[in-house]
């Protein structure tokens, strides 16, 4: 059995994709999405990347509706459906066949009540489930009330279905996550960008028409995000890929080794606080001068302006015209205060 612990990005994407999909049962859809993420992590670490495919990878990453498909994965040319449940009785052979008789393999994932951990219990061939159900009906009669058969072969036996060429530990090597502020390595005047997508290592991204040798990271620049219809700083980083895709905001793809975390990450429009204050007020960055930032406090904007959201490029000028005080601080003394 294998334990999968979803992080904040995974949980947000699983939930938002369920909303976008228009699921009748939002909880069931979200949990099903988490189950697919759990199996995807297993595949990445234990199966050859060229011999499995996740049907819903892009839909999940960008929180888009899934295209219709009768199965979730293809592994060694077998169709695989992932079944996720808190109720282990859902993993009885007859129950599995009733819900999904057509795929080659069913993977069984159990989740905790609060969805903070999922366990890959095992897998089974559909034809084996059929045989077990038929055998039970013909020869076994009623099962003992306290002893019900559950379908499950150990997860590590799944790679036995394919050739003995597994490349272990294929998880991404890059250190970035959606929402990180990055700059291009070696550029002394590089603009700060926002990480939108961290592409899986098996994706053959291209750059200037050439296939990229290394893991790819897609970023957007704050001024382009500022031109969008919404205040992107109030959108959870897990949903930025969905937002950029919906609004056709241009993304730029870099090899992950060509990026580094920005030493000066703030840009106009960012929500910040001065954390060494005992009860810091929320502020908005108006201008940036590398080592220093000028901010305006949000409660002043709320008090003085009819619409307290101002385009970041105009914020400093609007404050001057309205007589709203701006304050300068060392950038190192400030911290992000996310508002999503």
């Amino acid at each position: 059995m294998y334990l999968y612990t979803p992080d904040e990005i995974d949980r947000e994407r699983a939930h938002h994709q369920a909303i976008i999909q228009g699921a009748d049962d939002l909880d069931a859809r979200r949990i099903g999405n988490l189950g697919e993420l759990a199996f995807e992590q297993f595949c990445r670490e234990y199966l050859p990347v060229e011999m499995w495919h996740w049907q819903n990878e892009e839909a999940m990453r960008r929180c888009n509706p899934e295209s219709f498909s009768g199965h979730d994965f293809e592994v060694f040319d077998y169709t695989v459906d992932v079944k996720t449940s808190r109720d282990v009785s859902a993993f009885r052979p007859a129950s599995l066949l009733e819900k999904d008789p057509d795929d080659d393999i069913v993977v069984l994932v159990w989740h905790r009540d609060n969805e903070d951990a999922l366990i890959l219990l095992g897998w089974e061939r559909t034809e084996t489930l059929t045989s077990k159900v038929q055998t039970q009906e013909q020869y076994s009669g009623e099962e003992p009330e306290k002893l019900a058969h559950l379908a499950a072969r150990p997860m590590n036996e799944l790679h036995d279905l394919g050739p003995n060429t597994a490349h272990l530990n294929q998880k991404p090597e890059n250190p970035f996550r959606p929402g990180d502020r990055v700059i291009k390595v070696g550029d002394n005047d590089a603009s700060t960008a926002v990480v939108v997508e961290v592409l899986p290592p098996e994706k053959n991204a291209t750059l200037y028409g050439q296939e990229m040798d290394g893991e790819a990271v897609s970023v957007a620049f704050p001024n382009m995000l500022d031109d969008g219809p919404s205040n992107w700083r109030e959108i959870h980083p897990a949903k930025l890929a969905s937002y950029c895709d919906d609004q056709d905001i241009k993304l730029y793809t870099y090899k992950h080794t060509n990026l580094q975390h920005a030493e000066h990450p703030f840009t106009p429009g960012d929500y910040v606080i001065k954390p060494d204050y005992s009860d810091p007020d929320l502020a908005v960055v108006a201008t940036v001068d590398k080592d220093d930032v000028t901010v305006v406090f949000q409660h002043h904007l709320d008090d003085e302006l009819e619409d307290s959201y101002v385009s970041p490029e105009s914020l400093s000028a609007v404050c001057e015209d309205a007589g709203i005080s701006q304050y300068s601080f060392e950038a190192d003394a400030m911290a992000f205060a996310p508002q999503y």
Side-chain angles (χ1 to χ4, degrees):
M1 294 189 291
Y2 292 85
L3 174 69
Y4 163 74
T5 304
D7 61 16
E8 183 183 4
I9 296 293
D10 289 343
R11 289 195 296 270
E12 285 290 336
R13 283 180 171 167
H15 183 73
H16 193 59
Q17 195 280 333
I19 293 174
I20 298 299
Q21 187 78 20
D24 294 331
D25 188 336
L26 196 62
D27 290 343
R29 182 71 189 191
R30 179 182 62 255
I31 291 165
N33 286 342
L34 290 172
E36 290 188 42
L37 284 163
F39 184 61
E40 183 244 1
Q41 289 295 305
F42 172 83
C43 290
R44 172 160 294 125
E45 190 157 358
Y46 294 101
L47 305 180
V49 293
E50 67 274 9
M51 306 198 75
W52 61 272
H53 173 68
W54 184 19
Q55 294 287 103
N56 304 323
E57 186 270 324
E58 185 168 309
M60 190 74 68
R61 177 160 43 86
R62 298 189 171 186
C63 301
N64 288 336
E66 297 175 8
S67 58
F68 176 79
S69 177
H71 57 276
D72 300 321
F73 289 81
E74 295 169 8
V75 178
F76 302 128
D77 291 329
Y78 294 97
T79 59
V80 177
D81 204 48
V82 180
K83 297 299 182 188
T84 308
S85 179
R86 171 68 172 168
D87 180 5
V88 292
S89 68
F91 302 143
R92 299 177 67 176
S95 299
L96 292 170
L97 280 180
E98 181 182 354
K99 294 181 179 179
D100 187 18
D102 299 323
D103 293 316
D104 298 324
I105 290 171
V106 178
V107 172
L108 319 173
V109 182
W110 178 86
H111 72 90
R112 287 163 51 102
D113 278 339
N114 57 4
E115 303 166 31
D116 65 339
L118 296 90
I119 295 177
L120 279 73
L121 296 177
W123 63 280
E124 192 62 273
R125 290 176 183 262
T126 304
E127 62 184 23
T128 302
L129 295 175
T130 302
S131 176
K132 287 181 178 180
V133 170
Q134 291 174 346
T135 301
Q136 285 176 306
E137 290 175 346
Q138 294 176 17
Y139 303 108
S140 301
E142 292 293 326
E143 290 179 330
E145 184 177 346
K146 294 185 179 181
L147 185 63
H149 176 72
L150 301 181
R153 293 184 61 177
M155 288 303 303
N156 62 353
E157 291 184 4
L158 189 61
H159 61 70
D160 293 339
L161 296 176
N164 187 22
T165 58
H167 307 290
L168 301 183
N169 195 18
Q170 298 160 125
K171 290 186 176 181
E173 296 178 355
N174 78 73
F176 305 112
R177 290 165 47 88
D180 285 352
R181 300 295 175 89
V182 295
I183 59 172
K184 189 176 179 182
V185 172
D187 188 341
N188 294 328
D189 193 30
S191 297
T192 300
V194 182
V195 174
V196 173
E197 290 183 315
V198 177
L199 303 184
E202 66 271 12
K203 292 295 180 185
N204 295 319
T206 58
L207 189 63
Y208 303 118
Q210 301 294 319
E211 187 171 305
M212 184 182 298
D213 180 20
E215 296 170 17
V217 176
S218 292
V219 306
F221 290 96
N223 61 319
M224 295 182 178
L225 290 165
D226 291 339
D227 290 338
S230 299
N231 182 359
W232 62 274
R233 291 176 175 85
E234 296 181 353
I235 298 173
H236 193 284
K239 305 173 188 176
L240 280 178
S242 177
Y243 176 70
C244 291
D245 189 47
D246 291 344
Q247 304 301 328
D248 292 324
I249 294 174
K250 183 174 178 59
L251 301 181
Y252 295 84
T253 301
Y254 293 88
K255 184 177 177 179
H256 79 280
T257 52
N258 290 337
L259 295 174
Q260 65 185 37
H261 287 100
E263 182 180 357
H264 303 286
F266 300 119
T267 61
D270 288 338
Y271 294 104
V272 295
I273 58 171
K274 197 168 187 297
D276 61 354
Y277 287 177
S278 59
D279 186 19
D281 289 330
L282 180 66
V284 184
V285 174
T287 61
V288 177
D289 183 17
K290 285 198 172 180
D291 293 333
D292 298 294
V293 295
T294 300
V295 307
V296 56
F297 289 104
Q298 182 66 52
H299 63 86
H300 291 162
L301 295 174
D302 295 337
D303 292 341
E304 301 297 332
L305 301 178
E306 184 175 341
D307 183 357
S308 62
Y309 176 73
V310 180
S311 173
E313 66 178 7
S314 307
L315 180 57
S316 183
V318 168
C319 289
E320 289 181 6
D321 292 342
I324 300 174
S325 298
Q326 301 176 63
Y327 302 87
S328 183
F329 297 96
E330 291 184 0
D332 290 342
M334 310 303 287
F336 283 108
Q339 296 300 298
Y340 44 78

